[in-house]
Amino acid sequence: MQLNKFVFLLSWLLMLSLKAMPETGEHLWLRYATLPQDIQSEYVSFSKVYFLDDGDTEKVALEELSLAFKGLIGVDVRLQNKPAKSKLLMGKKLHQIVNIPGLEEALRKCGDDGFAIQSVDFKGTKKIVVSANTDAGILYGTFALIRLMQTGQTLDSVNIVEQPKYEFRLLNHWDNLDGTVERGYAGRSIWWNREASFEALKQQYLTYARANASIGINGAVLNNVNADPKVLSGDYIRQFARIADVLRPYHIKVYMSVNFSSPAILGRLPDSDPLKEEVQQWWNNKVKEIYDAIPDFGGFLVKANSEGQPGPQDFGRSHADGANMLARALEPYGGIVMWRAFVYSPSGDDRAKQAYKEFVPLDGRFHKNVIVQVKNGPVDFQPREPFSPLFGALKNTSLMVEFQITQEYLGFSDHLAFLAPLQKECLDSDTFVDGGGSTVARVTDGSLFQQEHSAIAGVANIGRDTNWTGHHFAQANWYAFGRLAWNHALKAEDIAREWIEMTFTNNPQFVDPVLNIMMRSREAVVNYMTPLGLHHLMGWNHHYGPEPWTEIEGARPDWLPRYYHKASETGIGFDRSQSGSNAVEQYAEPLRSMFNNPQTCPENLLLWFHHLPWDYRMSSGTTLWDDLCYHYYKGVDEVKLMQAMWDRLRGMIDQERFEHVQRKLKIQAREARWWRDACLLYFQTFSKMPIPYELERPEHDLEELMKLKFDMTNHN
Ligand code: BDP
């Protein structure tokens, strides 16, 4: 064995013994656990730091740097009063006080939030420079430098110049004021109805702020989109204000979800018609009250005329009328309105077409501080959907994409599903609205249509659980969302790798197999839940396990799985082609024709767009039925493989997290079989075809599965 390999292994063995300490996951990817000796040595000299600025944001950046040096390499940061004495120079526009070749030019590419990290030669000595145009840039640059150290990168010839792709990078908390979280699987709300004093909660909020700042998140909507009007009362405004005070140094603004009927419910006006002056005045006064308490308040998020929520249509007004009224109230203070396009009201037409039909006629009619917030797919956060056709169709409106980080339809916090591949799939989708290369990323980041604002939002998976997200691996989805919001061009693998290294260990014998597990996890879920473009096969109210059979008298048809899969003796799938609901028409050519024809439609979306006979021949030559079976069985096999790979990693990380993940994988493996059997056995009652002989027999009995009553209380 080569000597350096031997030294490397030895240092890992040493690390291993130190690392076997129990860990709870509470420090997320900011654990700053001691790095192996050989990685440490390069960084030691950089602890001599010259830090130019001393605003609140710089203070927290310096604190973070100190924590990182102490944890990663066991040294204190030694502040120097002269640049010449230091090895690490940090501060805004450093070129104005020290001659740093190329820095001024680099900072021109950084915009407001970006930063430059460069290694420069000062008369024969190497120094690292972290600079930016703003306080925020310094904060982000600091975290980026720390990440380089956490992931063991050499700083020898570093030259990084970054600027985020999106202006607003937000988490949406679906937290109710009573402390429950809608579709949250990691305990109750960290914000609302807490028993502990605010002082006691501060530590938790600071970790939240640090974690978000470390990935570039710059805003958080603190309450559920199904908003309680009470949130606009003086008492809640005060509560928002004190949270805003804690988050401010970390450059995170607070936003509020508001209920459109607030003027009537809270203000006791006769109604909330957006064209009435008294209603407008009510909002103007409310907004002033908010900004008096929170001078940098971010703005409102609104779910209107959707799933029973009130909205401007209640008064015969349009989404634009409603959004613009709020936008005008916020404009003098620099606030924004994020107006959701997730509209879903009873109608005879295909649910997947609704948002497009309501919003396309309004293109160009929204005020400039309105951003229309569109879910990634046309229906609802399914394990796989095509991208929403609104992307690209609204050319004169600021448009943002909303992803779900919380795993409402992907096994809650019980299943390991790394979601960066799902998000990348959407962001990289070509809409073709302005020729090839018109990706969803470019349609939303302002580079294609130069909209006024660019933004991206993720529905948070955070709760009071000690590890924040229920499943340790669900932390990766919070992390990955932030990294993609900063730079949608990053690769899912690269994001996963850095997360693993920071969260667990840099040991390649652990990192490589875990990366493998993560990268196959989302497709595994798609395969055992909803392959080939199927969707909504879950229990209609709890959204956890499979219930493709559900029938409820009097329920809205589009609540029920049968509306979506349409399985019958003649076949399966939702016909959205020209001979069906014609949802394909909402896509630009050549996608429209491609989706319209089952022969050219991507097979992973086949049953999203087509209803096909059970003996339809897939491109592989097998029948649709057999192919469906293969996908379900593959999903189960993949989880088995993930489990086996994880089991081999025992001893490489702390036992606590190892066993926790092991338990979760066991649940996932069991439930993958549950999904497979429930869906296949039920569909078989229509297909009347056998499960291919080479596959093992289902474990369950359909009648038994149909009798199962899912208990939500175990899962919240
Ligand atoms: C659905 C959720 C529901 C949300 C809704 C939304 O089931 O709880 O209120 O999305 O996004 O997926 O408004």
Side-chain angles (χ1 to χ4, degrees):
M1 185 185 301
Q2 289 164 331
L3 186 66
N4 53 358
K5 260 200 179 153
F6 176 74
V7 172
F8 186 78
L9 271 180
L10 202 70
S11 68
W12 274 115
L13 284 176
L14 264 170
M15 288 297 307
L16 226 67
S17 50
L18 291 174
K19 276 260 185 71
M21 309 268 290
E23 295 214 37
T24 58
E26 68 194 293
H27 302 297
L28 297 156
W29 48 90
L30 302 177
R31 292 157 58 249
Y32 303 143
T34 322
L35 288 169
Q37 210 64 46
D38 60 323
I39 302 184
Q40 281 189 24
S41 52
E42 189 197 329
Y43 305 140
V44 177
S45 65
F46 296 113
S47 58
K48 286 168 84 181
V49 179
Y50 173 77
F51 211 105
L52 176 63
D53 315 286
D54 60 359
D56 286 347
T57 296
E58 280 89 359
K59 271 194 199 121
V60 299
L62 184 58
E63 259 167 45
E64 198 67 36
L65 196 70
S66 309
L67 267 180
F69 269 97
K70 190 85 193 150
L72 294 170
I73 51 181
V75 300
D76 288 315
V77 160
R78 286 164 298 158
L79 276 185
Q80 312 294 312
N81 54 9
K82 290 215 172 75
K85 291 195 205 151
S86 69
K87 288 279 283 176
L88 177 57
L89 277 72
M90 309 194 62
K92 277 185 307 229
K93 302 189 178 160
L94 274 175
H95 58 279
Q96 292 176 349
I97 58 152
V98 197
N99 178 22
I100 305 167
L103 183 60
E104 188 171 1
E105 203 194 322
L107 292 187
R108 256 184 253 129
K109 295 186 206 137
C110 291
D112 280 348
D113 283 1
F115 57 82
I117 306 180
Q118 295 178 323
S119 92
V120 280
D121 208 328
F122 273 92
K123 302 177 191 132
T125 348
K126 269 266 155 68
K127 292 188 199 279
I128 302 291
V129 171
V130 179
S131 195
N133 296 313
T134 62
D135 297 346
I138 291 298
L139 180 71
Y140 296 140
T142 305
F143 276 110
L145 175 75
I146 294 174
R147 181 162 52 238
L148 291 175
M149 292 164 60
Q150 286 174 288
T151 53
Q153 314 285 314
T154 175
L155 300 181
D156 200 41
S157 52
V158 64
N159 182 9
I160 297 174
V161 179
E162 292 196 6
Q163 182 179 11
K165 299 276 190 196
Y166 293 100
E167 179 187 355
F168 299 102
R169 307 173 293 277
L170 265 67
L171 286 185
N172 289 184
H173 292 266
W174 283 1
D175 293 18
N176 297 312
L177 304 182
D178 66 2
T180 57
V181 180
E182 176 150 341
R183 316 302 181 184
Y185 315 104
R188 290 163 67 83
S189 166
I190 59 168
W191 307 119
W192 308 118
N193 202 9
R194 304 226 42 179
E195 275 139 30
S197 72
F198 192 74
E199 273 315 301
L201 296 171
K202 251 195 191 153
Q203 203 43 49
Q204 189 182 27
Y205 295 160
L206 283 174
T207 308
Y208 171 89
R210 291 171 50 226
N212 279 322
S214 78
I215 48 178
I217 300 282
N218 64 359
V221 183
L222 302 182
N223 63 312
N224 191 1
V225 284
N226 297 317
D228 186 332
K230 271 207 305 286
V231 74
L232 283 163
S233 66
D235 181 33
Y236 278 101
I237 292 174
R238 275 188 295 282
Q239 295 193 50
F240 267 71
R242 56 184 195 183
I243 297 172
D245 289 343
V246 179
L247 304 185
R248 186 167 297 113
Y250 293 88
H251 196 56
I252 298 166
K253 287 186 180 179
V254 300
Y255 295 75
M256 200 183 264
S257 292
V258 293
N259 182 302
F260 201 78
S261 283
S262 301
I265 301 173
L266 199 70
R268 299 188 189 283
L269 297 187
D271 64 44
S272 301
D273 181 347
L275 297 197
K276 282 197 179 154
E277 217 183 300
E278 54 178 352
V279 172
Q280 295 165 358
Q281 198 48 50
W282 187 88
W283 282 108
N284 291 345
N285 295 343
K286 214 14 117 184
V287 166
K288 180 175 183 311
E289 187 185 335
I290 297 175
Y291 278 92
D292 283 346
I294 315 169
D296 57 353
F297 177 70
F300 293 146
L301 172 63
V302 192
K303 171 175 176 179
N305 293 118
S306 168
E307 297 189 318
Q309 291 298 322
Q313 291 175 348
D314 304 348
F315 313 98
R317 316 298 183 196
S318 71
H319 288 291
D321 293 329
N324 292 345
M325 169 195 59
L326 297 175
R328 277 191 290 268
L330 289 157
E331 194 176 19
Y333 309 92
I336 57 164
V337 176
M338 290 161 291
W339 190 270
R340 293 178 92 223
F342 174 70
V343 286
Y344 166 33
S345 2
S347 98
D349 204 356
D350 177 1
R351 178 180 164 192
K353 289 165 61 184
Q354 262 192 49
Y356 184 101
K357 280 169 61 181
E358 282 191 34
F359 279 82
V360 170
L362 299 175
D363 191 20
R365 288 186 41 204
F366 290 96
H367 214 74
K368 59 182 187 312
N369 57 335
V370 175
I371 311 178
V372 173
Q373 178 165 320
V374 182
K375 287 190 181 181
N376 59 291
V379 175
D380 196 1
F381 295 141
Q382 292 299 290
R384 169 163 286 119
E385 293 189 34
F387 68 87
S388 162
L390 274 173
F391 295 117
L394 293 181
K395 297 187 175 63
N396 300 304
T397 304
S398 297
L399 207 61
M400 63 194 282
V401 58
E402 172 179 338
F403 289 114
Q404 201 174 39
I405 308 172
T406 188
Q407 291 171 231
E408 175 179 358
Y409 298 99
L410 289 103
F412 294 6
S413 57
D414 284 332
H415 296 201
L416 192 166
F418 178 51
L419 298 182
L422 182 159
Q423 294 168 4
K424 285 289 287 181
E425 187 172 290
C426 171
L427 292 165
D428 292 345
S429 293
D430 201 337
T431 67
F432 289 96
V433 287
D434 194 24
S438 308
T439 58
V440 172
R442 294 195 58 224
V443 163
T444 50
D445 72 6
S447 60
L448 198 65
F449 299 128
Q450 285 81 46
Q451 299 97 328
E452 186 77 19
H453 294 294
S454 68
I456 185 165
V459 181
N461 59 352
I462 297 164
R464 274 181 227 177
D465 279 6
T466 312
N467 72 8
W468 294 89
T469 55
H471 198 308
H472 287 287
F473 275 81
Q475 295 180 356
N477 292 332
W478 174 6
Y479 180 83
F481 168 75
R483 295 289 285 137
L484 285 174
W486 182 270
N487 181 4
H488 54 56
L490 290 176
K491 292 202 180 88
E493 293 90 313
D494 294 342
I495 298 175
R497 182 180 287 279
E498 62 189 32
W499 176 80
I500 301 166
E501 293 187 339
M502 296 188 293
T503 307
F504 291 106
T505 165
N506 309 63
N507 179 357
Q509 287 174 19
F510 179 87
V511 176
D512 293 342
V514 173
L515 184 62
N516 189 322
I517 291 174
M518 287 172 78
M519 290 310 294
R520 58 178 68 236
S521 60
R522 181 267 183 142
E523 205 57 36
V525 177
V526 172
N527 278 328
Y528 64 73
M529 286 188 182
T530 51
L532 298 177
L534 287 171
H535 47 297
H536 273 82
L537 304 183
M538 71 293 153
W540 71 280
N541 55 353
H542 53 71
H543 297 179
Y544 189 70
E547 289 180 19
W549 44 77
T550 315
E551 275 180 88
I552 299 169
E553 220 185 310
R556 270 174 59 175
D558 54 2
W559 276 352
L560 304 177
R562 298 181 64 148
Y563 171 87
Y564 299 96
H565 64 67
K566 304 215 182 312
S568 70
E569 272 75 15
T570 62
I572 182 169
F574 198 124
D575 185 1
R576 296 192 164 107
S577 72
Q578 278 161 1
S579 53
S581 79
N582 201 16
V584 292
E585 195 189 37
Q586 297 181 341
Y587 291 92
E589 285 292 11
L591 287 183
R592 183 184 305 159
S593 305
M594 191 175 94
F595 289 150
N596 189 50
N597 179 351
Q599 302 295 321
T600 53
C601 181
E603 285 192 343
N604 63 12
L605 290 172
L606 195 61
L607 303 177
W608 183 280
F609 287 111
H610 297 278
H611 184 83
L612 295 169
W614 296 104
D615 59 0
Y616 173 83
R617 289 280 157 192
M618 304 292 286
S619 59
S620 62
T622 55
T623 62
L624 171 60
W625 167 253
D626 280 3
D627 207 59
L628 199 61
C629 293
Y630 292 136
H631 275 88
Y632 273 106
Y633 275 81
K634 180 157 199 266
V636 169
D637 286 346
E638 288 284 293
V639 181
K640 235 191 260 170
L641 189 68
M642 285 157 57
Q643 233 189 332
M645 286 197 277
W646 183 260
D647 284 346
R648 283 201 291 269
L649 303 174
R650 183 184 284 283
M652 290 198 188
I653 57 163
D654 54 285
Q655 194 176 338
E656 198 165 76
R657 286 186 299 170
F658 175 81
E659 285 177 356
H660 192 266
V661 172
Q662 198 177 40
R663 281 196 298 278
K664 293 276 187 185
L665 282 169
K666 201 165 165 198
I667 299 175
Q668 186 172 3
R670 192 177 62 227
E671 296 188 341
R673 297 196 296 276
W674 173 30
W675 269 92
R676 176 196 69 190
D677 292 355
C679 295
L680 283 182
L681 291 173
Y682 170 68
F683 291 143
Q684 196 178 30
T685 62
F686 301 107
S687 80
K688 313 265 191 294
M689 291 163 89
I691 290 179
Y693 68 90
E694 69 274 26
L695 301 174
E696 66 190 31
R697 297 302 92 193
E699 257 170 46
H700 302 88
D701 172 78
L702 182 61
E703 272 180 36
E704 292 300 313
L705 288 178
M706 287 174 76
K707 274 192 252 152
L708 266 184
K709 283 272 163 286
F710 176 74
D711 181 4
M712 270 296 272
T713 52
N714 294 333
H715 286 84
N716 247 320

